[in-house]
Amino acid sequence: MAMVSNATHDPKHADKVLQDYVTVTVMNIITTFFSSPFAEQSTNVQTQHPMFVRLLQSTYRVALCNWLTGQQRYHVENCSRTLLEIAKIRGIAIPGDLETQLTAVFNKSQMIMKHSRAWMTAGKIRSDTVSQQTQDYRNIIEGLQDIVSLLEDQLKPLVQAELSVLVDVLHRPELLFPPNTDARHKCETGGFISRLIRHTEKLLEEKEEKLCIKMLQTLKEMMTIDVEYTGKVDLKSLSKKEQEDRKRSESLRQLLLTSYYGRTQVRTNRTLAQNSLNSSVQDSDRGAIMLNRAEMTLHDVQCHLDREGATDLVIDLIIHNHSSRTFQETIGLGIALLDGGNCTIQKSFLNRLTSDRNSEKFFRVIYDRMRDAQTEIKATLSVTTGETLTNKADEDRSGGQKDTAKSKTKADREIFTSELQEQMADAASTTARAYVHLQHIRHLEKGDSGAGGRQSLPAEEFIGERAMEKEKKKLSSEIAIMEPILRFLQLLCENHNRDLQNYLRTQNNKTNYNLVCETLQFLDCICGSTTGGLGLLGLYINETNVALINQTLESLTEYCQGPCHENQNAIASHESNGLNIIIALILNDISPLGKYRMDLVLKLKNNASKLLLAIMESRHDSENADGILFNMIPKQLVEVAKLAYHQVEIMEEEQENGKGGDEEPSGEEEDEDVTNSRDVGHNIYILAHQLSKHNKELAEILKPAHGDAHGDIHIDPALEYYANHTAQIEIVRQDRTMEQIVFPIPEICEYLTPETKHRVYITAERDDQGSKVSDFFSRLDDMFAEMKWQKKLRANALLCWMSGHMSFWGRSSFYLAILINILVGLNFPFINATREFDPRLSGLVWTTMFGSLAITITVWPPPRFVVITLVISAILRLIFSFGIEPTLILLGTVNVLNAIMFAVSVMGNYGTFNKPWKQMLTDFEFLYHMGYLIVSMLGLCLHELFFSLLLLDLVYREETLLNVIRSVTKNGRSILMTAVLAIILVYFFSIIGLIFFQDDFLMEVNVASALGITNKEVVNAAATALNGSPVLNADKMEEFCQAPDLFNSTFLKGLNETERASLQSGCLEKFSKDKQSIDEDDTGIERHCDTLLMCMITSMNEGLRNGGGIGDVLRKPSSGERLFYVRVVYDLLFFFIVNIITLNLIFGVIIDTFADLRSEKQQKEEILKNSCFICGLERSAFDNKTVSFEEHCKQEHNMWHYLYFIILVKVKDPTEFTGPESYVAHMIKEKNLDWFPRMRAMSLAADDGEIEQNEVRNLQFELQRTNITIQELSRQLTELKEQMTEQRKQKQRMGLFTPSSAMGTI
């Protein structure tokens, strides 16, 4: 409007088209929008107050233009009047002067119309009457059209809900009939669906095409994953009107289901729907997704329809080749049946096509459709290219004008928010529908010359032009049908169905239709190669056909993967430019599409790189790779991969410079584009890596580090990123041939912790073949669960930080336990007083502490000895200043906090928080750290001596000490049984001792109360307080009792009377007795075998602890005694049987077990150092070989690369698998480890035996190909003989008729 208002008034230089567009079309759109029910119901007009006022001001400026015609002035004033009325109705504040000016304009127009009405009335009374009637008819029709449009919008959700119930009925038709009836039994056995499918084909015979199409759509909807009625729709993403419509449709749906099935069945369906949705989300296989309305998985529904004849219906309808609409719906039904790669449906298609004689027509129909599409493309390609070049030149010429106008309109664009743009788009669509409805009225008024017919004409023409432009951008029906056809062919070959892959190439019919090569020819045609414009690839690829090109590439990829060597050779050696087109898609810039839709270009390059990888997949020759390299510049391929990596920086620079378009992508979209660009570049890098095996120049370029002329090493960040995120492994195929796989490392593998890697690497056990694969494979699920937990852990910043420093918390706990026990051991029992130290020592401690602190702050990370010095000096300073007990309390508190951090970090790393309580209570790590924490708290709160238990952590940390414990526990049963035998023998000897040598069990004992002090603890405590050491014996007691002011000391004042009396009596008794008498009364003799129990205790206690057995502690018998010799035999037998034999048996078991554990550890270390983890080959096998043992373990048979590949198979969509990935996934599912190489490596295949085996296999393969060729030639020769025979017969017939005709002529 501003451009029109400020334009020149000279009619010769004015832009008439722009003036008409603004004054008529734009004004009509604004008037219609604010007069429609949409504007009346909308509440956003008040919120856009500044925009509304500016719009009113702009219409007023246009109304003041002098060059306006009568029609233009009418539209402008009508728009201004409508806006002013809306402002008054809605209470929108507008400037007073603006309202006055608009009122003056309206009054002036009314005055002119009033004076001119009189003379116009006389001559046009009749025409006005007819015009008025026509206008009334128009108003009535417009009102009816508005009512119809409003009803369509209101009733559309209800109609969809009612149609959805039809699908429920088709899934469970038997529920409509009473139980135990014939109708219900037929429906349960599939009779209803079967007859419905058969009836669908008969509808075409009866020329009921529309009804047939509706039935095909309904059958397809039965296999559609229903999102609308799953109950899991995000209500926040819906508008208020959409939420209300959804509630009404759901209410109607439930009402209909209740009337059909009953309340119980409806409630069951809803419950099953909720449960099935959760299970379907967790399963990555699309065929396992649960369809809520069917109460079955997608795979089961597909198989059910297949059993009832859906597959035969698709084939029959394609063979009969009805209209394009029917053919399109038939292909859509076939896609729905094959969705997810259903092998059962594929087998049904193959069986029907191979057994049916009319299968040739099936392929001919598809082949003809492909040919028709290519013909249409060739017919329209030159015209489209010419328009593209013209538009491109116009864009270049108008580039400067757009840049100038961009700066002027930048402020205006900022006002249009996304919400306002949506409203304007809805208003424009509503207006467009209204003008379409008026087209019928305009045809009825051919003779009407009133203003009403002329008002809508420019707007209709404008909208018509827009519609025509949109139609031009769409693909024609002949070309558009190719996308579902190619998708159908792709799904036929899904899951690398080798039979169907070969069947699409050759059908063994009289006429073979090679759909594989025809698909490649179609790609060649749609990309413009047939016009000789290979260098102008971007001119033929646009936003309209890029989806079709992507589908073509995906179908070709599926033809080759598996691998299918025949299809690979067919594509690589085809006479068309298809292979060059694929290479050009990767290497060339797809411009101008790449300027505004880089995501489509990246997807195109990604599919093209996958197709080239599929062409080279699982091949032992270099034929296809050489063909690709022949048409490619290696350096350019690497540059494309690097450019994809740097796409992030390019996008950021474009946004900073304002070249990224008018709309800035959101954060989520930007992240998706960045991830996509990196993934695309990674696939191109893998393609280059595979080609580098056949090209030394490319292998050299792929190295991340390159040296320059000055000798400096430069590392390319893109190549380094790709190299670090790429892995390779070797697998063994079913025919026992080895194959190398290069693949991208999944992102989730980055979350595997180094601690877990080290633990698995150290503790993995070898199997009988010397490989650790079996034990390694058994731990995959635990490691995968840990990866997923670690990825989830990154969302919690605090827990992630704590878990990341697990080793630090563990070392700190151990060092704190040692430090605390050193302080306890040196100072227990504690004295509640601070000690005075030499000032020089105190100054040295202060100096050491501050010096080490300064070094710790300035040097990071600080040296370990500096940190140790700082800690020791700080603890000494605390002891000097506050005493030992406050220091221990502080260290104990730090230890408890550190133990909490350590426990949380360990449980966070191992995902303990994500486990159920029962599993947590049986987890040794969890129990150990909880026990450690409890002991730390007991030492802090209860008694300091509990800290001594923390030193047992050394046993848990050190493997040597663990072996010591294992030496006892590993053969614990043997040791326990030997100990039981020892107890039994001691029991026998105790019985003999009780019967015969009871008087010999005399033991010398010391009486504990010989000092005469009844409360010895009180005396010891008092002596400790006074002299610094407790009273231990009589000598100390004498010194203690002679201490000055003993009974007047501060400590003794805290004792009660009994304790003071006890202490005093002890001292008096000390001085009343002679020291010698006390020593004599201190000893005595007791009998220790009066009972069998005492005999056993004495024999166990004394006999086992003495080196000579029980004889060392018994009474020494005289040689003249009657049982002297019996006693000697008794002592000797006890010594030999119990002390020597039995105890040494126990010691021997422990020592031998420890020796075995030590040798086992050494052997394990030797195996880890000198044998491959995967294949088990020794280091000596790689002596004098091109690949060293270290390179073999790091690159060829890296154990973690095998783990990453298994994780890749787990997280990747099964329909996206390559041939090797499908093979490994099948082996993993069956828990078959034969795909791991055992005692084999491809680097050692240079031996003569391996070379000979490979040659034999290659010869066998060539022999098979030769046999196939001979069979094909034999078949063709037979056909040729039949044709020659037929021609000879025809000539003979012609020879018979020719003489007769000649005779007739004569």
Side-chain angles (χ1 to χ4, degrees):
M1 293 182 187
M3 293 176 63
V4 171
S5 301
N6 299 329
T8 178
H9 298 171
D10 186 6
K12 296 181 180 180
H13 301 86
D15 191 353
K16 296 292 186 180
V17 178
L18 181 61
Q19 290 177 359
D20 292 338
Y21 172 73
V22 173
T23 56
V24 178
T25 305
V26 175
M27 297 300 172
N28 275 336
I29 291 175
I30 296 175
T31 304
T32 307
F33 172 75
F34 286 100
S35 301
S36 63
F38 176 85
E40 295 177 0
Q41 298 176 2
S42 176
T43 60
N44 295 321
V45 179
Q46 291 86 348
T47 59
Q48 305 294 337
H49 173 263
M51 174 61 67
F52 187 89
V53 174
R54 291 190 60 187
L55 186 62
L56 189 57
Q57 290 175 347
S58 300
T59 56
Y60 171 71
R61 291 179 60 191
V62 176
L64 295 179
C65 294
N66 298 326
W67 47 265
L68 292 174
T69 63
Q71 180 184 356
Q72 293 173 345
R73 188 176 299 280
Y74 172 80
H75 289 297
V76 175
E77 291 179 0
N78 189 24
C79 179
S80 302
R81 187 180 292 106
T82 302
L83 293 176
L84 188 60
E85 291 175 357
I86 291 296
K88 293 178 180 180
I89 294 173
R90 298 296 183 92
I92 301 175
I94 59 176
D97 56 344
L98 179 61
E99 184 177 2
T100 304
Q101 293 170 356
L102 287 172
T103 305
V105 172
F106 297 154
N107 293 334
K108 182 178 178 181
S109 299
Q110 290 178 359
M111 290 291 293
I112 296 173
M113 293 178 63
K114 182 178 180 181
H115 289 290
S116 60
R117 188 175 299 155
W119 63 269
M120 291 176 62
T121 305
K124 295 186 178 181
I125 295 176
R126 185 175 180 180
S127 61
D128 289 346
T129 304
V130 176
S131 176
Q132 183 66 30
Q133 292 177 356
T134 305
Q135 185 66 29
D136 293 339
Y137 292 152
R138 181 184 294 108
N139 293 335
I140 293 172
I141 294 174
E142 289 179 356
L144 292 176
Q145 292 289 350
D146 292 338
I147 292 173
V148 171
S149 300
L150 183 62
L151 288 176
E152 286 180 354
D153 293 338
Q154 294 292 332
L155 298 179
K156 183 178 179 181
L158 301 180
V159 173
Q160 291 179 349
E162 188 173 2
L163 292 176
S164 69
V165 176
L166 176 61
V167 178
D168 291 86
V169 173
L170 292 179
H171 280 304
R172 303 295 299 275
E174 67 274 6
L175 298 178
L176 298 175
F177 304 98
N180 300 324
T181 59
D182 294 338
R184 187 183 181 100
H185 177 70
K186 292 180 180 179
C187 291
E188 288 177 348
T189 56
F192 179 77
I193 296 295
S194 178
R195 296 192 63 180
L196 184 66
I197 291 174
R198 291 196 300 269
H199 182 66
T200 303
E201 188 174 359
K202 292 181 180 179
L203 289 174
L204 286 177
E205 299 176 359
E206 300 173 359
K207 298 183 179 180
E208 295 288 345
E209 183 178 2
K210 292 184 178 180
L211 189 56
C212 176
I213 291 174
K214 185 62 181 177
M215 289 305 306
L216 292 174
Q217 292 174 348
T218 305
L219 291 174
K220 182 171 64 175
E221 191 176 353
M222 292 179 65
M223 294 172 286
T224 302
I225 301 174
D226 195 355
V227 180
E228 182 68 23
Y229 300 103
T230 54
K232 292 291 184 179
V233 180
D234 187 8
L235 297 178
K236 296 181 180 179
S237 62
L238 302 178
S239 63
K240 184 177 181 180
K241 182 177 181 301
E242 290 175 342
Q243 294 180 11
E244 293 177 356
D245 292 342
R246 186 175 183 277
K247 290 180 181 178
R248 291 190 296 116
S249 62
E250 183 66 21
S251 176
L252 176 61
R253 172 181 165 80
Q254 292 300 319
L255 180 62
L256 293 174
L257 290 176
T258 303
S259 63
Y260 290 151
Y261 292 152
R263 297 185 178 274
T264 306
Q265 183 61 33
V266 173
R267 197 178 305 115
T268 305
N269 290 345
R270 299 296 297 170
T271 304
L272 291 173
Q274 299 294 332
N275 297 333
S276 64
L277 182 67
N278 298 331
S279 63
S280 65
V281 172
Q282 296 174 0
D283 201 326
S284 61
D285 189 3
R286 184 172 175 83
I289 296 178
M290 183 70 70
L291 300 183
N292 302 325
R293 292 183 286 177
E295 301 177 11
M296 294 187 296
T297 62
L298 176 60
H299 183 275
D300 295 336
V301 175
Q302 292 170 340
C303 294
H304 171 64
L305 293 177
D306 174 58
R307 289 192 298 269
E308 306 307 327
T311 303
D312 295 333
L313 175 65
V314 172
I315 296 176
D316 292 336
L317 292 181
I318 292 177
I319 289 176
H320 290 89
N321 193 17
H322 296 279
S323 64
S324 298
R325 182 70 189 281
T326 305
F327 180 81
Q328 183 177 0
E329 295 297 335
T330 304
I331 291 293
L333 178 59
I335 292 173
L337 286 169
L338 291 165
D339 191 16
N342 194 322
C343 298
T344 304
I345 307 298
Q346 291 176 344
K347 187 176 181 180
S348 298
F349 271 104
L350 182 62
N351 293 336
R352 170 65 191 279
L353 291 175
T354 52
S355 60
D356 193 353
R357 296 180 180 180
N358 295 326
S359 62
E360 180 180 342
K361 191 175 181 180
F362 175 88
F363 290 95
R364 186 178 66 191
V365 170
I366 297 178
Y367 181 84
D368 292 341
R369 294 278 180 176
M370 288 185 172
R371 283 291 181 178
D372 294 341
Q374 294 179 43
T375 304
E376 181 69 18
I377 291 173
K378 293 176 182 179
T380 58
L381 192 59
S382 58
V383 178
T384 307
T385 307
E387 293 179 355
T388 304
L389 290 172
T390 304
N391 295 335
K392 186 176 182 182
D394 294 340
E395 290 177 0
D396 295 338
R397 288 195 298 269
S398 61
Q401 299 177 1
K402 290 183 179 180
D403 293 339
T404 305
K406 187 181 294 183
S407 60
K408 294 182 179 179
T409 59
K410 184 177 181 181
D412 297 338
R413 289 200 311 268
E414 292 176 355
I415 300 176
F416 286 88
T417 61
S418 60
E419 183 179 3
L420 183 58
Q421 289 175 358
E422 292 177 0
Q423 295 175 9
M424 294 299 293
D426 294 338
S429 62
T430 304
T431 308
R433 288 198 303 268
Y435 282 122
V436 170
H437 295 322
L438 290 177
Q439 289 180 357
H440 179 67
I441 300 173
R442 192 178 68 176
H443 289 295
L444 297 176
E445 301 173 354
K446 292 182 179 179
D448 186 14
S449 60
R454 292 191 300 269
Q455 291 175 2
S456 60
L457 182 59
E460 293 175 6
E461 292 178 353
F462 173 72
I463 295 174
E465 292 176 359
R466 293 286 301 273
M468 291 177 63
E469 291 179 1
K470 186 176 290 186
E471 288 294 331
K472 285 183 180 179
K473 292 183 178 180
K474 290 184 179 179
L475 295 173
S476 62
S477 59
E478 292 83 357
I479 303 175
I481 194 62
M482 282 302 301
E483 187 170 355
I485 289 176
L486 292 174
R487 175 61 178 167
F488 175 71
L489 297 178
Q490 177 192 356
L491 290 174
L492 281 177
C493 302
E494 198 70 68
N495 296 326
H496 317 304
N497 193 314
R498 183 71 61 83
D499 296 332
L500 280 169
Q501 286 176 334
N502 291 321
Y503 199 67
L504 291 182
R505 188 186 70 260
T506 174
Q507 296 86 38
N508 294 326
N509 295 325
K510 290 185 177 180
T511 304
N512 287 321
Y513 297 96
N514 192 338
L515 299 184
V516 175
C517 293
E518 198 62 31
T519 305
L520 184 66
Q521 187 70 36
F522 176 78
L523 176 67
D524 185 17
C525 183
I526 196 173
C527 292
S529 175
T530 54
T531 62
L534 186 60
L536 303 175
L537 191 63
L539 300 179
Y540 306 98
I541 301 175
N542 50 58
E543 194 173 355
T544 305
N545 63 2
V546 67
L548 179 55
I549 298 175
N550 277 319
Q551 181 58 60
T552 308
L553 294 172
E554 292 175 1
S555 298
L556 287 171
T557 302
E558 199 62 43
Y559 295 162
C560 299
Q561 287 181 342
C564 182
H565 294 297
E566 294 81 3
N567 287 349
Q568 291 175 345
N569 296 330
I571 293 175
S573 60
H574 194 259
E575 59 186 5
S576 67
N577 292 326
L579 191 61
N580 296 335
I581 285 288
I582 301 168
I583 298 172
L585 289 175
I586 300 176
L587 301 182
N588 294 352
D589 294 332
I590 312 299
S591 179
L593 181 63
K595 294 181 178 180
Y596 57 93
R597 289 302 303 271
M598 181 54 69
D599 56 333
L600 297 179
V601 174
L602 290 173
K603 185 177 181 181
L604 202 62
K605 293 180 179 293
N606 191 33
N607 289 329
S609 61
K610 288 182 179 178
L611 176 53
L612 291 182
L613 286 171
I615 293 175
M616 299 187 298
E617 181 181 293
S618 301
R619 298 188 67 91
H620 299 287
D621 56 10
S622 60
E623 181 179 355
N624 292 350
D626 293 339
I628 295 173
L629 287 170
F630 180 78
N631 300 295
M632 179 185 296
I633 301 176
K635 186 176 181 180
Q636 189 177 0
L637 180 64
V638 179
E639 291 298 328
V640 172
K642 292 162 65 174
L643 182 61
Y645 174 83
H646 295 293
Q647 189 65 34
V648 186
E649 292 81 0
I650 296 174
M651 293 174 61
E652 292 177 354
E653 291 178 0
E654 289 180 352
Q655 292 177 1
E656 291 177 358
N657 298 331
K659 298 181 181 179
D662 295 338
E663 297 181 0
E664 295 182 0
S666 61
E668 294 180 359
E669 294 177 353
E670 185 177 357
D671 292 340
E672 291 178 359
D673 292 340
V674 170
T675 304
N676 188 24
S677 65
R678 294 280 174 86
D679 292 342
V680 172
H682 205 168
N683 283 336
I684 298 175
Y685 174 83
I686 293 176
L687 172 63
H689 187 278
Q690 294 290 72
L691 292 172
S692 65
K693 301 175 183 178
H694 311 279
N695 188 285
K696 295 181 179 180
E697 179 186 357
L698 184 56
E700 187 66 26
I701 296 174
L702 285 178
K703 294 181 180 179
H706 293 279
D708 55 9
H710 302 285
D712 298 332
I713 302 298
H714 298 282
I715 298 178
D716 190 284
L719 296 180
E720 184 182 18
Y721 170 82
Y722 292 143
N724 293 334
H725 291 79
T726 305
Q728 68 178 24
I729 62 172
E730 295 176 358
I731 66 172
V732 179
R733 285 283 197 164
Q734 290 180 345
D735 58 354
R736 308 312 299 166
T737 59
M738 295 189 66
E739 179 181 347
Q740 187 182 73
I741 303 176
V742 181
F743 61 95
I745 299 176
E747 181 185 0
I748 194 173
C749 295
E750 299 177 0
Y751 299 101
L752 187 64
T753 59
E755 291 81 5
T756 301
K757 285 186 175 182
H758 179 73
R759 185 177 69 253
V760 173
Y761 179 72
I762 294 298
T763 59
E765 300 294 337
R766 299 183 67 184
D767 55 13
D768 296 337
Q769 298 181 359
S771 175
K772 299 184 178 181
V773 170
S774 301
D775 187 56
F776 179 67
F777 187 80
S778 64
R779 306 188 188 192
L780 289 176
D781 294 335
D782 295 336
M783 287 188 284
F784 186 42
E786 181 181 345
M787 292 178 193
K788 293 189 287 187
W789 166 250
Q790 288 292 332
K791 184 177 181 180
K792 184 179 179 181
L793 186 65
R794 297 299 188 271
N796 191 331
L798 179 60
L799 187 58
C800 179
W801 178 81
M802 293 172 61
S803 301
H805 296 79
M806 183 179 67
S807 58
F808 172 77
W809 307 127
R811 291 193 303 269
S812 300
S813 296
F814 182 65
Y815 294 150
L816 282 172
I818 293 176
L819 185 59
I820 291 173
N821 280 280
I822 289 175
L823 295 178
V824 172
L826 295 177
N827 298 279
F828 189 84
F830 309 121
I831 302 174
N832 293 326
T834 58
R835 301 179 182 179
E836 295 294 336
F837 291 91
D838 190 353
R840 292 174 295 182
L841 180 60
S842 179
L844 179 61
V845 172
W846 279 110
T847 304
T848 305
M849 184 177 67
F850 283 114
S852 58
L853 180 61
I855 296 175
T856 303
I857 295 174
T858 55
V859 180
W860 190 261
R864 180 175 297 181
F865 72 91
V866 175
V867 178
I868 296 174
T869 305
L870 176 61
V871 173
I872 294 176
S873 59
I875 292 175
L876 291 176
R877 187 65 264 168
L878 290 174
I879 295 173
F880 293 165
S881 301
F882 303 102
I884 186 64
E885 287 189 282
T887 303
L888 280 176
I889 292 174
L890 177 61
L891 292 177
T893 304
V894 173
N895 184 55
V896 170
L897 295 176
N898 188 83
I900 294 174
M901 301 283 280
F902 187 34
V904 171
S905 65
V906 171
M907 290 184 288
N909 269 322
Y910 296 155
T912 309
F913 299 111
N914 205 27
K915 297 178 181 179
W917 281 103
K918 293 182 179 179
Q919 190 174 357
M920 289 176 61
L921 294 177
T922 57
D923 188 1
F924 176 77
E925 291 283 344
F926 174 77
L927 296 177
Y928 176 80
H929 289 286
M930 288 297 101
Y932 191 94
L933 179 60
I934 292 172
V935 172
S936 299
M937 295 181 68
L938 289 176
L940 177 63
C941 302
L942 192 60
H943 200 281
E944 294 83 356
L945 295 181
F946 278 103
F947 285 123
S948 61
L949 298 177
L950 300 180
L951 294 176
L952 296 177
D953 185 48
L954 179 64
V955 178
Y956 179 75
R957 293 174 176 274
E958 184 60 38
E959 186 178 1
T960 303
L961 297 179
L962 283 176
N963 287 335
V964 174
I965 303 300
R966 293 193 190 103
S967 63
V968 178
T969 58
K970 186 176 182 179
N971 293 321
R973 179 178 177 82
S974 300
I975 296 175
L976 181 62
M977 292 296 101
T978 307
V980 169
L981 176 61
I983 293 174
I984 294 173
L985 293 176
V986 170
Y987 177 69
F988 292 156
F989 281 100
S990 301
I991 294 175
I992 296 173
L994 179 65
I995 296 174
F996 299 101
F997 309 109
Q998 184 177 10
D999 295 334
D1000 293 344
F1001 283 82
L1002 301 177
M1003 303 297 167
E1004 182 178 357
V1005 298
N1006 297 324
V1007 182
S1009 60
L1011 295 177
I1013 301 176
T1014 58
N1015 198 344
K1016 189 174 182 180
E1017 291 79 6
V1018 176
V1019 178
N1020 292 341
T1024 302
L1026 294 176
N1027 299 331
S1029 61
V1031 178
L1032 299 176
N1033 50 40
D1035 297 333
K1036 293 278 186 161
M1037 186 67 187
E1038 181 179 359
E1039 181 180 355
F1040 169 71
C1041 292
Q1042 294 178 354
D1045 297 330
L1046 171 62
F1047 297 101
N1048 296 326
S1049 62
T1050 304
F1051 174 80
L1052 296 183
K1053 290 181 180 179
L1055 302 178
N1056 53 33
E1057 294 298 332
T1058 304
E1059 293 172 343
R1060 291 172 62 88
S1062 176
L1063 182 60
Q1064 185 175 7
S1065 62
C1067 289
L1068 293 175
E1069 185 177 0
K1070 162 64 186 163
F1071 292 110
S1072 63
K1073 293 183 179 181
D1074 185 73
K1075 181 178 179 181
Q1076 182 66 28
S1077 62
I1078 292 177
D1079 293 337
E1080 292 176 356
D1081 295 336
D1082 195 24
T1083 60
I1085 302 297
E1086 290 185 357
R1087 294 174 60 87
H1088 276 215
C1089 196
D1090 291 339
T1091 62
L1092 182 60
L1093 178 61
M1094 283 301 300
C1095 281
M1096 285 189 61
I1097 293 174
T1098 304
S1099 300
M1100 291 283 294
N1101 182 32
E1102 300 292 343
L1104 297 179
R1105 291 192 299 110
N1106 285 278
I1110 193 65
D1112 289 351
V1113 296
L1114 296 182
R1115 180 182 64 85
K1116 308 301 179 184
S1118 174
S1119 60
E1121 294 182 7
R1122 183 173 57 88
L1123 298 176
F1124 174 77
Y1125 295 104
V1126 178
R1127 169 67 186 279
V1128 171
V1129 174
Y1130 176 80
D1131 293 344
L1132 289 175
L1133 288 176
F1134 190 97
F1135 175 72
F1136 281 109
I1137 296 176
V1138 178
N1139 288 69
I1140 294 180
I1141 298 177
T1142 308
L1143 293 182
N1144 285 330
L1145 284 175
I1146 297 175
F1147 298 153
V1149 171
I1150 295 175
I1151 293 172
D1152 291 343
T1153 304
F1154 181 77
D1156 293 340
L1157 291 174
R1158 183 175 59 184
S1159 61
E1160 183 180 344
K1161 178 184 176 182
Q1162 294 176 352
Q1163 184 180 5
K1164 184 181 295 185
E1165 293 176 352
E1166 187 70 18
I1167 291 172
L1168 291 175
K1169 184 178 180 181
N1170 296 318
S1171 64
C1172 178
F1173 190 94
I1174 298 298
C1175 64
L1177 287 172
E1178 299 292 337
R1179 180 185 293 270
S1180 59
F1182 295 89
D1183 293 341
N1184 301 323
K1185 301 296 182 181
T1186 56
V1187 177
S1188 65
F1189 177 76
E1190 288 74 14
E1191 293 175 349
H1192 169 76
C1193 295
K1194 184 179 180 181
Q1195 298 177 2
E1196 295 179 346
H1197 288 179
N1198 191 316
M1199 58 180 292
W1200 304 117
H1201 289 179
Y1202 282 86
L1203 171 65
Y1204 299 156
F1205 186 74
I1206 296 174
I1207 299 301
L1208 176 67
V1209 171
K1210 287 181 176 292
V1211 301
K1212 193 174 182 180
D1213 186 1
T1215 59
E1216 299 293 330
F1217 282 164
T1218 62
E1221 290 170 354
S1222 298
Y1223 167 69
V1224 173
H1226 177 71
M1227 300 294 280
I1228 292 174
K1229 186 176 181 180
E1230 295 183 352
K1231 296 183 178 180
N1232 191 339
L1233 302 180
D1234 290 342
W1235 62 278
F1236 280 94
R1238 301 292 182 94
M1239 307 302 294
R1240 299 175 63 186
M1242 293 184 66
S1243 59
L1244 302 180
D1247 296 341
D1248 298 335
E1250 283 291 325
I1251 294 176
E1252 185 178 353
Q1253 290 180 5
N1254 290 332
E1255 290 178 353
V1256 170
R1257 294 191 188 96
N1258 292 332
L1259 289 175
Q1260 290 176 352
F1261 177 72
E1262 293 295 335
L1263 183 61
Q1264 291 177 358
R1265 291 180 58 184
T1266 305
N1267 290 333
I1268 295 174
T1269 305
I1270 292 174
Q1271 292 176 2
E1272 182 68 18
L1273 292 175
S1274 300
R1275 185 184 61 81
Q1276 294 178 359
L1277 183 60
T1278 303
E1279 293 178 358
L1280 184 59
K1281 288 182 180 179
E1282 293 177 355
Q1283 293 177 2
M1284 294 295 292
T1285 304
E1286 186 68 24
Q1287 291 179 1
R1288 190 179 298 109
K1289 291 180 179 179
Q1290 291 180 359
K1291 289 181 179 180
Q1292 291 176 357
R1293 296 190 191 99
M1294 293 298 296
L1296 291 175
F1297 288 106
T1298 301
S1300 61
S1301 59
M1303 292 293 293
T1305 304
I1306 294 173

